[in-house]
Amino acid sequence: VVLGIGDDGAIVRPAADRELVIVIDTLVEGVHFPPGMDPADIAYRAVAVNLSDIAAMASRPRWMTLALTLAEADADWLEGFSGGLFEAAEEHNLVLIGGDTTRGSEIVITVQVTGDVLPGCALRRSGARVGDDLYVTGTVGDAAAGLALWLAESAQDENEHYLRRRFARPTARVAFASALAAHASAAIDLSDGLYADIDKLLMASRCSASIDVGNLPLSAALTAVRGDESAIDLALRGGDDYEIAFTAPRSSAAAIAELADAHALRVTRIGAVTSGHGLRCLREGQTLPFVNAGYRHFGDHHA
Amino acid sequence: VVLGIGDDGAIVRPAADRELVIVIDTLVEGVHFPPGMDPADIAYRAVAVNLSDIAAMASRPRWMTLALTLAEADADWLEGFSGGLFEAAEEHNLVLIGGDTTRGSEIVITVQVTGDVLPGCALRRSGARVGDDLYVTGTVGDAAAGLALWLAESAQDENEHYLRRRFARPTARVAFASALAAHASAAIDLSDGLYADIDKLLMASRCSASIDVGNLPLSAALTAVRGDESAIDLALRGGDDYEIAFTAPRSSAAAIAELADAHALRVTRIGAVTSGHGLRCLREGQTLPFVNAGYRHFGDHHA
């Protein structure tokens, strides 16, 4: 960073011979998060969803700008927000270099992150090939269950707290995904739900895939709180997980297992890439008549 | 641009040995522009205010991302918006590489622009030195008068149309400012009003300056519509001009005059940098008891 906040713009010096990855994502109160959420969580989440996009490209996050629209400037709220913002940023050596604060009738947070990557090494959605394995990081479905608990104002036990936190504080898989670039063929981050997002990856790669829902990585908290059937449904259709789905040739399997170990990260092979189009879900060998209704962020019913 | 819209992020390849300039600015309906404004103008303006920041740093605009929050997705509105966005971008070879569209209760537009500049060549607010001349591009006060006409729903003659357009379609001084870098010592763009913004430049440079209000560049339209006194007041305090105020050593005067000619741009020396702090306004040698109340964008009374 040559020049940070305080002038008309920030000045940064990119590393020599790198490509830049640029992402931008907006969270709107009442649409992407419930009103009244802890401002530290809101800020953390606004950064994390962008870091998740950076991770999905196997990029290294460098610089962040923030556009914050608020109905009122409450000092306590801003202090909490600022705390969550810097917490998320510092976990990934991300530097806030500029911003704009405006007044509006509701909270709108736009975060923009610039990352860098060695030329040609970014992971795209379009690189999957027939025969590749299909993987997902972490566990899926937790965040959607957490949001439901948030809306029901339920926080009865440790499992529920865990799920709520999975919604409020998504973990962007930055370090793992960056190391993954050498081994994977394609990647996408899971924001709209595993089924919908993997479908986008397959569309971009002009391939099909089948997954066995029995292989979906479910947290113990999710199955405890929701039961097996609902857990699988949330894993397939629930959004806001911000895990990474990726494909890799079979020859990378050992390297990926090592990488997962090195990052103490659960990484699960959930299926395989085939020819054709669209994602098929199998259960004990039978095709599930799964209709992708798509995930609705909280508040999309405003439509 | 290595990879544009459609993946988790965009990939761009920066030119070798350049610094990057990153700016972000938000426009909120009812705060920064009146409800019901032509969507093409809204979009043009959202890009132009960011290009003006890029210009103030003497940078060359390269890549843009857009975060657009809308209450409803109206196809006609979006088509108009898109037209104005690309019109502004194409004037400056700026490429839209990514975006995020979300639903909210009002229109919120955040544009982020990345530009580049030769290392060390960006203009900052902090470079003014005692003895420098103080200049401004174009004419000032027009946009504030234009906004007032907008709010009064008045568009009686060519002068009024001109002023309204100066509000709706600000001209970012990108090409001139980029060439200016070699000759100027400091620069800022005029968004909050000439007085307030030059005061910020002087604060950053730890200098003072005096200007003769008789030298302020006023458009014929502004004096025709508002009269001399109101024109001067708007020139000092009216915002949204998106002209560039800059300082340069006396030895650069001839080069700056040539540059202005080459860009067919009115550039006016309005004063000189002195020691001390704050901006003094003189009229025929007498200090004006000018109180900087600051410019209020339309709608700031919501505060």
Side-chain angles (χ1 to χ4, degrees), chain B residues 96-120:
Chain B
L96 179 70
I97 56 167
D100 186 23
T101 305
T102 52
R103 178 162 299 131
S105 63
E106 65 193 346
I107 302 171
V108 180
I109 305 145
T110 295
V111 170
Q112 177 271 337
V113 175
T114 304
D116 64 8
V117 65
L118 289 170

mmCIF file of all heavy atoms in Angstrom, chain B residues 96-120:
data_model
loop_
_atom_site.group_PDB
_atom_site.id
_atom_site.type_symbol
_atom_site.label_atom_id
_atom_site.label_comp_id
_atom_site.label_asym_id
_atom_site.label_seq_id
_atom_site.Cartn_x
_atom_site.Cartn_y
_atom_site.Cartn_z
ATOM 1 N N LEU B 96 -16.170 -2.655 -17.783
ATOM 2 C CA LEU B 96 -16.928 -3.265 -16.682
ATOM 3 C C LEU B 96 -16.533 -4.734 -16.596
ATOM 4 O O LEU B 96 -16.724 -5.491 -17.546
ATOM 5 C CB LEU B 96 -18.438 -3.147 -16.932
ATOM 6 C CG LEU B 96 -19.324 -3.772 -15.854
ATOM 7 C CD1 LEU B 96 -19.267 -2.988 -14.559
ATOM 8 C CD2 LEU B 96 -20.774 -3.884 -16.325
ATOM 9 N N ILE B 97 -15.980 -5.137 -15.436
ATOM 10 C CA ILE B 97 -15.490 -6.513 -15.323
ATOM 11 C C ILE B 97 -16.282 -7.338 -14.330
ATOM 12 O O ILE B 97 -16.096 -8.560 -14.256
ATOM 13 C CB ILE B 97 -13.994 -6.552 -14.930
ATOM 14 C CG1 ILE B 97 -13.770 -5.782 -13.618
ATOM 15 C CG2 ILE B 97 -13.122 -5.997 -16.046
ATOM 16 C CD1 ILE B 97 -12.410 -6.023 -13.013
ATOM 17 N N GLY B 98 -17.163 -6.714 -13.552
ATOM 18 C CA GLY B 98 -17.899 -7.524 -12.596
ATOM 19 C C GLY B 98 -18.950 -6.708 -11.895
ATOM 20 O O GLY B 98 -18.965 -5.478 -11.980
ATOM 21 N N GLY B 99 -19.830 -7.401 -11.205
ATOM 22 C CA GLY B 99 -20.865 -6.677 -10.501
ATOM 23 C C GLY B 99 -21.705 -7.587 -9.653
ATOM 24 O O GLY B 99 -21.533 -8.810 -9.648
ATOM 25 N N ASP B 100 -22.589 -6.967 -8.917
ATOM 26 C CA ASP B 100 -23.507 -7.690 -8.049
ATOM 27 C C ASP B 100 -24.803 -6.885 -8.016
ATOM 28 O O ASP B 100 -24.774 -5.682 -7.773
ATOM 29 C CB ASP B 100 -22.908 -7.814 -6.642
ATOM 30 C CG ASP B 100 -23.741 -8.697 -5.717
ATOM 31 O OD1 ASP B 100 -24.504 -9.538 -6.243
ATOM 32 O OD2 ASP B 100 -23.643 -8.550 -4.497
ATOM 33 N N THR B 101 -25.917 -7.542 -8.303
ATOM 34 C CA THR B 101 -27.204 -6.858 -8.253
ATOM 35 C C THR B 101 -28.022 -7.441 -7.119
ATOM 36 O O THR B 101 -28.146 -8.660 -7.002
ATOM 37 C CB THR B 101 -27.963 -7.032 -9.582
ATOM 38 O OG1 THR B 101 -27.129 -6.582 -10.643
ATOM 39 C CG2 THR B 101 -29.227 -6.201 -9.593
ATOM 40 N N THR B 102 -28.528 -6.569 -6.262
ATOM 41 C CA THR B 102 -29.286 -7.015 -5.102
ATOM 42 C C THR B 102 -30.573 -6.221 -4.991
ATOM 43 O O THR B 102 -30.734 -5.187 -5.639
ATOM 44 C CB THR B 102 -28.469 -6.816 -3.811
ATOM 45 O OG1 THR B 102 -28.014 -5.463 -3.771
ATOM 46 C CG2 THR B 102 -27.279 -7.744 -3.748
ATOM 47 N N ARG B 103 -31.469 -6.735 -4.151
ATOM 48 C CA ARG B 103 -32.737 -6.052 -3.952
ATOM 49 C C ARG B 103 -32.727 -5.311 -2.623
ATOM 50 O O ARG B 103 -32.283 -5.846 -1.608
ATOM 51 C CB ARG B 103 -33.872 -7.070 -3.977
ATOM 52 C CG ARG B 103 -35.240 -6.437 -3.738
ATOM 53 C CD ARG B 103 -36.332 -7.372 -4.189
ATOM 54 N NE ARG B 103 -36.205 -7.632 -5.612
ATOM 55 C CZ ARG B 103 -36.226 -8.824 -6.169
ATOM 56 N NH1 ARG B 103 -36.360 -9.889 -5.437
ATOM 57 N NH2 ARG B 103 -36.093 -8.956 -7.469
ATOM 58 N N GLY B 104 -33.218 -4.087 -2.649
ATOM 59 C CA GLY B 104 -33.338 -3.304 -1.419
ATOM 60 C C GLY B 104 -34.559 -2.428 -1.524
ATOM 61 O O GLY B 104 -35.374 -2.603 -2.432
ATOM 62 N N SER B 105 -34.680 -1.460 -0.605
ATOM 63 C CA SER B 105 -35.893 -0.650 -0.635
ATOM 64 C C SER B 105 -35.692 0.650 -1.413
ATOM 65 O O SER B 105 -36.630 1.397 -1.634
ATOM 66 C CB SER B 105 -36.353 -0.346 0.789
ATOM 67 O OG SER B 105 -35.386 0.409 1.465
ATOM 68 N N GLU B 106 -34.461 0.927 -1.835
ATOM 69 C CA GLU B 106 -34.211 2.142 -2.617
ATOM 70 C C GLU B 106 -33.006 1.871 -3.513
ATOM 71 O O GLU B 106 -32.307 0.880 -3.344
ATOM 72 C CB GLU B 106 -33.933 3.327 -1.696
ATOM 73 C CG GLU B 106 -32.658 3.170 -0.893
ATOM 74 C CD GLU B 106 -32.534 4.183 0.241
ATOM 75 O OE1 GLU B 106 -33.289 5.170 0.246
ATOM 76 O OE2 GLU B 106 -31.686 3.983 1.115
ATOM 77 N N ILE B 107 -32.776 2.793 -4.449
ATOM 78 C CA ILE B 107 -31.663 2.613 -5.379
ATOM 79 C C ILE B 107 -30.355 3.046 -4.717
ATOM 80 O O ILE B 107 -30.223 4.180 -4.269
ATOM 81 C CB ILE B 107 -31.887 3.443 -6.662
ATOM 82 C CG1 ILE B 107 -33.201 3.057 -7.337
ATOM 83 C CG2 ILE B 107 -30.715 3.266 -7.618
ATOM 84 C CD1 ILE B 107 -33.599 3.987 -8.483
ATOM 85 N N VAL B 108 -29.416 2.115 -4.656
ATOM 86 C CA VAL B 108 -28.075 2.408 -4.147
ATOM 87 C C VAL B 108 -27.084 1.884 -5.180
ATOM 88 O O VAL B 108 -27.124 0.705 -5.539
ATOM 89 C CB VAL B 108 -27.812 1.735 -2.782
ATOM 90 C CG1 VAL B 108 -26.403 2.070 -2.289
ATOM 91 C CG2 VAL B 108 -28.845 2.151 -1.745
ATOM 92 N N ILE B 109 -26.225 2.772 -5.676
ATOM 93 C CA ILE B 109 -25.286 2.409 -6.732
ATOM 94 C C ILE B 109 -23.870 2.637 -6.221
ATOM 95 O O ILE B 109 -23.493 3.762 -5.915
ATOM 96 C CB ILE B 109 -25.491 3.282 -7.978
ATOM 97 C CG1 ILE B 109 -26.928 3.202 -8.449
ATOM 98 C CG2 ILE B 109 -24.519 2.881 -9.082
ATOM 99 C CD1 ILE B 109 -27.442 4.501 -9.014
ATOM 100 N N THR B 110 -23.111 1.555 -6.138
ATOM 101 C CA THR B 110 -21.703 1.689 -5.794
ATOM 102 C C THR B 110 -20.877 1.298 -7.007
ATOM 103 O O THR B 110 -21.044 0.206 -7.553
ATOM 104 C CB THR B 110 -21.322 0.796 -4.601
ATOM 105 O OG1 THR B 110 -22.024 1.255 -3.443
ATOM 106 C CG2 THR B 110 -19.824 0.854 -4.322
ATOM 107 N N VAL B 111 -20.023 2.223 -7.425
ATOM 108 C CA VAL B 111 -19.102 1.938 -8.519
ATOM 109 C C VAL B 111 -17.690 1.964 -7.948
ATOM 110 O O VAL B 111 -17.356 2.814 -7.119
ATOM 111 C CB VAL B 111 -19.246 2.973 -9.655
ATOM 112 C CG1 VAL B 111 -18.121 2.821 -10.684
ATOM 113 C CG2 VAL B 111 -20.596 2.816 -10.340
ATOM 114 N N GLN B 112 -16.904 1.007 -8.362
ATOM 115 C CA GLN B 112 -15.505 0.941 -7.935
ATOM 116 C C GLN B 112 -14.669 0.921 -9.207
ATOM 117 O O GLN B 112 -14.968 0.189 -10.148
ATOM 118 C CB GLN B 112 -15.299 -0.324 -7.097
ATOM 119 C CG GLN B 112 -13.877 -0.556 -6.637
ATOM 120 C CD GLN B 112 -13.061 -1.346 -7.645
ATOM 121 O OE1 GLN B 112 -13.605 -2.076 -8.470
ATOM 122 N NE2 GLN B 112 -11.748 -1.194 -7.608
ATOM 123 N N VAL B 113 -13.659 1.763 -9.248
ATOM 124 C CA VAL B 113 -12.800 1.837 -10.432
ATOM 125 C C VAL B 113 -11.349 1.625 -10.018
ATOM 126 O O VAL B 113 -10.893 2.165 -9.010
ATOM 127 C CB VAL B 113 -12.957 3.194 -11.159
ATOM 128 C CG1 VAL B 113 -11.969 3.309 -12.321
ATOM 129 C CG2 VAL B 113 -14.387 3.368 -11.674
ATOM 130 N N THR B 114 -10.666 0.811 -10.792
ATOM 131 C CA THR B 114 -9.225 0.641 -10.625
ATOM 132 C C THR B 114 -8.534 1.300 -11.815
ATOM 133 O O THR B 114 -8.898 1.041 -12.964
ATOM 134 C CB THR B 114 -8.841 -0.852 -10.573
ATOM 135 O OG1 THR B 114 -9.572 -1.487 -9.520
ATOM 136 C CG2 THR B 114 -7.348 -1.023 -10.320
ATOM 137 N N GLY B 115 -7.583 2.172 -11.529
ATOM 138 C CA GLY B 115 -6.795 2.801 -12.575
ATOM 139 C C GLY B 115 -5.330 2.479 -12.379
ATOM 140 O O GLY B 115 -4.959 1.840 -11.391
ATOM 141 N N ASP B 116 -4.498 2.892 -13.323
ATOM 142 C CA ASP B 116 -3.069 2.722 -13.091
ATOM 143 C C ASP B 116 -2.335 4.022 -13.370
ATOM 144 O O ASP B 116 -2.873 4.955 -13.952
ATOM 145 C CB ASP B 116 -2.507 1.530 -13.871
ATOM 146 C CG ASP B 116 -2.592 1.704 -15.375
ATOM 147 O OD1 ASP B 116 -2.946 2.797 -15.855
ATOM 148 O OD2 ASP B 116 -2.288 0.732 -16.084
ATOM 149 N N VAL B 117 -1.108 4.057 -12.924
ATOM 150 C CA VAL B 117 -0.309 5.272 -12.988
ATOM 151 C C VAL B 117 1.161 4.851 -12.872
ATOM 152 O O VAL B 117 1.470 3.827 -12.255
ATOM 153 C CB VAL B 117 -0.734 6.232 -11.842
ATOM 154 C CG1 VAL B 117 -0.405 5.643 -10.475
ATOM 155 C CG2 VAL B 117 -0.139 7.610 -11.999
ATOM 156 N N LEU B 118 2.052 5.609 -13.500
ATOM 157 C CA LEU B 118 3.472 5.304 -13.358
ATOM 158 C C LEU B 118 3.875 5.496 -11.889
ATOM 159 O O LEU B 118 3.375 6.404 -11.225
ATOM 160 C CB LEU B 118 4.310 6.217 -14.256
ATOM 161 C CG LEU B 118 4.192 5.910 -15.754
ATOM 162 C CD1 LEU B 118 4.847 7.009 -16.580
ATOM 163 C CD2 LEU B 118 4.821 4.552 -16.072
ATOM 164 N N PRO B 119 4.754 4.654 -11.383
ATOM 165 C CA PRO B 119 5.121 4.736 -9.967
ATOM 166 C C PRO B 119 5.552 6.154 -9.571
ATOM 167 O O PRO B 119 6.362 6.771 -10.255
ATOM 168 C CB PRO B 119 6.290 3.752 -9.845
ATOM 169 C CG PRO B 119 6.039 2.753 -10.913
ATOM 170 C CD PRO B 119 5.435 3.519 -12.055
ATOM 171 N N GLY B 120 4.973 6.631 -8.494
ATOM 172 C CA GLY B 120 5.335 7.951 -7.978
ATOM 173 C C GLY B 120 4.669 9.108 -8.695
ATOM 174 O O GLY B 120 4.858 10.259 -8.315
#
